Amino acid sequence: MPTVLALETSCDESAAAVVRQGRVLAGAVASQVEEHARWGGVVPEIASRRHLEALPPLIERVLAESGVAMAELDAIAATVAPGLVGALLVGSITARTLARLHRRPFLGIHHLEGHLCSVHLGDPLPPEPHLVLLVSGGHSELVRVDGPGAYRRLGRSRDDAAGECFDKVARLLGLGYPGGPAIEAAGREGDPHRFRLPKGRVSLPGGGFHPYDFSFSGLKTAMMRLVRELQEAGGPLPLADLAASFEQVVAEVLVERSLRCARDQGLGRLVLVGGVAANRRLRQRLAMAAGEIGLDWRVAPLAYCTDNAAMVGVAAEQRLLAGCLSDPGLGVAARLPLEEAAVLYGTPPPI
Ligand code: KG4
Ligand code: ZN
């Protein structure tokens, strides 16, 4: 029954958690959102500095709250890829230093594997194989999971990630950062069918469209055009209807392509994770569509959709159970495909 201290610093949330057998003994997240909101997005330099300040008290807090001593930890883990390099380094160096000082094993974790594991923090994970729709600020992917660590990406966004599109459209509507929660709040009472918006598709070289890939940049442009037209017509912007219509089309696209992919692949189970998985309209849309065709679906608990360290801890537990450990010299990487997550446990370290 492994006990893990996990750190997450890949973007703009500093987080620490102590996890034991898929249960969170203590977890804390210090969000930098307010600081970055002034700039309309994440400023990497500010993120690194804030992680450096936030991490030590967070670690002290989760250790105290969990009542777990350093000597009881089976491993210390940190997200090492993908993400902002400076930000990742803060978590990784902190974890490796603690591991060395306290003679504990170290595990570097792939951020997306963390998101995939977030669903464990709610219901038990459905047996493999299953399909995961991972939608965050940096990624929109459909991943087939055939076993622990056995991933195959079947679909992805060719331009903006879904969360990134939420953030950009929120800025366009003057709703602030991060865009997802702001759009959700603005659109709560709105009419989701008032505006017809495009479901961006990705052309195949030989004709037709890629069945599982996403494209959100056309939707962003359509929103820009629509807002301009409405502004030129005068009067206040119908923010609630704009936000609701935008959310609706994003939810429809994500759910339609996921269900098609699950059907084509003969997969009867679908898992929804990542920051955008917190979206109420998306969760409802998935529940309805999956229900209609009898697809078994799960979604990460609301509290663990956006970045947190508990999900990193669960991923670390799974890796530990599979006999994986990272070299203390392991570095960090801005990019690393999920399919290659196993390289984080190789010797000599690849990064
Ligand atoms: O997973 P996450 O915390 O960080 C990344 O790994 O990127 O995802 C952050 C993204 C942001 O783009 C944010 O706008 C979006 O998730 N998000 C949401 C909601 N909450 C967060 N999008 C739609 N609806 C939400 N309720
Ligand atoms: Zn994330």
Side-chain angles (χ1 to χ4, degrees):
M1 194 199 300
T3 306
V4 175
L5 167 66
L7 310 180
E8 158 62 44
T9 61
S10 66
C11 191
D12 58 350
E13 324 276 2
S14 317
V18 178
V19 171
R20 178 177 289 160
Q21 224 195 6
R23 280 196 333 114
V24 187
L25 300 187
V29 180
S31 179
Q32 308 174 359
V33 156
E34 276 177 27
E35 193 142 1
H36 296 291
R38 291 171 47 206
W39 309 99
V42 179
V43 183
E45 184 59 28
I46 295 178
S48 313
R49 238 178 297 151
R50 293 294 165 262
H51 286 311
L52 209 52
E53 291 162 3
L55 218 42
L58 284 176
I59 295 170
E60 278 178 25
R61 188 170 133 195
V62 295
L63 285 172
E65 275 179 26
S66 65
V68 170
M70 280 287 185
E72 291 175 75
L73 293 171
D74 294 289
I76 299 177
T79 304
V80 295
L84 303 170
V85 165
L88 289 167
L89 270 174
V90 176
S92 155
I93 292 174
T94 306
R96 284 184 289 149
T97 307
L98 287 173
R100 200 184 177 106
L101 275 172
H102 298 276
R103 297 178 197 284
R104 303 286 89 202
F106 163 69
L107 279 124
I109 298 295
H110 194 289
H111 183 72
L112 302 189
E113 186 164 277
H115 276 300
L116 256 59
C117 288
S118 63
V119 75
H120 280 281
L121 294 158
D123 300 327
L125 198 66
E128 293 96 3
H130 58 249
L131 185 67
V132 181
L133 170 61
L134 190 157
V135 270
S136 69
H139 297 84
S140 301
E141 303 197 343
L142 278 165
V143 181
R144 183 188 166 111
V145 182
D146 281 301
Y151 309 120
R152 190 145 58 92
R153 188 175 68 186
L154 300 172
R156 67 185 166 106
S157 175
R158 297 296 185 108
D159 37 60
D160 293 350
E164 191 179 355
C165 190
F166 266 94
D167 295 335
K168 288 178 176 169
V169 168
R171 200 177 328 159
L172 171 74
L173 299 177
L175 292 174
Y177 174 85
I183 288 188
E184 178 159 357
R188 203 165 286 266
E189 306 297 330
D191 174 2
H193 304 290
R194 168 148 175 211
F195 299 108
R196 279 185 67 82
L197 293 161
K199 295 180 178 174
R201 300 218 276 172
V202 178
S203 304
L204 287 169
F209 298 98
H210 194 290
Y212 319 133
D213 276 359
F214 307 103
S215 166
F216 291 107
S217 68
L219 172 59
K220 184 185 61 190
T221 311
M223 285 296 290
M224 242 147 61
R225 236 182 263 135
L226 178 59
V227 166
R228 202 177 318 131
E229 278 168 23
L230 290 165
Q231 279 167 337
E232 280 167 9
L237 277 181
L239 278 181
D241 294 346
L242 281 168
S245 301
F246 168 76
E247 272 187 301
Q248 180 71 18
V249 75
V250 173
E252 279 176 14
V253 164
L254 291 173
V255 171
E256 280 166 15
R257 279 178 216 166
S258 304
L259 261 50
R260 162 126 194 233
C261 184
R263 191 194 63 200
D264 291 354
Q265 291 281 315
L267 297 171
R269 290 175 283 266
L270 177 66
V271 174
L272 172 64
V273 298
V276 182
N279 187 267
R280 197 177 50 116
R281 229 178 270 276
L282 173 60
R283 293 165 90 100
Q284 283 172 349
R285 181 89 208 144
L286 177 63
M288 212 161 71
E292 277 168 13
I293 58 164
L295 185 78
D296 176 4
W297 65 281
R298 317 274 163 93
V299 56
L302 212 49
Y304 298 112
C305 286
T306 47
D307 288 350
N308 63 87
M311 68 185 195
V312 177
V314 175
E317 277 191 312
Q318 302 234 324
R319 286 287 176 185
L320 214 49
L321 290 171
C324 298
L325 286 181
S326 296
D327 188 287
L330 179 70
V332 301
R335 292 172 184 277
L336 181 70
L338 177 62
E339 286 101 327
E340 290 170 28
V343 302
L344 301 176
Y345 312 104
T347 313
I351 54 173

